[in-house]
Amino acid sequence: MAEIDKEDVVAVLNRILESELAGVVRYTHYSFLVFGFGRIPIQSWLREQADESLLHAQQVGEWITTLGAYPSLAIGPLLDSHTFDIASILRESLQAENLALALYRELLARVEDRSVALEEFARQMIHVEEMHAGEVDKMLRRPGEMSTSAERPAGQS
Ligand SMILES: [Fe+2]
């Protein structure tokens, strides 16, 4: 089994850590801005997402120190479109989730057939993040609408 390129893998793990930490801040921030009839379930869903991002950040940070490297204290980009409408909040979340997913895929490409444990971790996270993105996509559909957002023409939510 070939060895992992530690520096390269740690660099990707640090980018994932920053993006998960941004998720903690973003979901917490959004959870304050939900008003209207749907407030209670949507606010608690957003808080759950913040908790999940924190768990992911902690898992990734532990991997970084397991590899003998220093975890980043930076945070990924945070967009604040000053929006209060749930569809825009969810669209921003979906964008950020797809970015995180791409980073986990980068991780997988770097550890595949090189580290069983890291490969397992990357696959597990891709699974979780893909299911999560699918869930957000369904929340963005109108009742009865079957096509995913990727299949709809641009500009249509
Ligand atoms: Fe995550």
Side-chain angles (χ1 to χ4, degrees):
M1 204 181 240
E3 292 277 302
I4 57 164
D5 178 339
K6 204 180 94 174
E7 222 171 286
D8 199 31
V9 169
V10 167
V12 177
L13 284 169
N14 265 323
R15 281 164 61 210
I16 297 175
L17 174 60
E18 291 169 7
S19 123
E20 294 287 9
L21 287 174
V24 178
V25 175
R26 195 178 48 250
Y27 282 119
T28 304
H29 175 76
Y30 287 154
S31 76
F32 302 138
L33 302 176
V34 183
F35 306 123
F37 297 130
R39 175 174 164 82
I40 289 171
I42 295 172
Q43 186 219 44
S44 63
W45 183 82
L46 290 165
R47 295 271 163 93
E48 277 168 31
Q49 304 318 303
D51 291 345
E52 198 180 300
S53 286
L54 180 60
L55 177 69
H56 294 174
Q58 288 165 346
Q59 288 173 308
V60 172
E62 291 296 342
W63 261 116
I64 295 168
T65 49
T66 295
L67 294 173
Y70 191 75
S72 167
L73 194 57
I75 189 162
L78 288 165
L79 350 144
D80 184 2
S81 53
H82 262 272
T83 179
F84 295 88
D85 102 273
I86 307 299
S88 309
I89 288 176
L90 290 176
R91 266 194 297 274
E92 274 189 27
S93 305
L94 189 58
Q95 244 184 341
E97 291 299 336
N98 283 332
L99 234 113
L101 191 55
L103 286 171
Y104 282 112
R105 287 187 199 286
E106 271 189 48
L107 177 67
L108 179 62
R110 282 163 174 79
V111 297
E112 205 165 23
D113 294 326
R114 291 183 156 95
S115 158
V116 172
L118 267 170
E119 180 176 341
E120 190 68 24
F121 176 67
R123 287 186 188 278
Q124 195 187 312
M125 297 311 278
I126 289 169
H127 175 222
V128 171
E129 301 289 1
E130 236 176 77
M131 298 300 289
H132 183 198
E135 199 59 48
V136 177
D137 190 83
K138 286 181 198 177
M139 288 166 86
L140 279 165
R141 294 185 208 172
R142 281 179 203 89
E145 187 170 40
M146 296 310 295
S147 59
T148 67
S149 62
E151 295 163 339
R152 284 193 291 281
Q156 222 179 295
S157 58

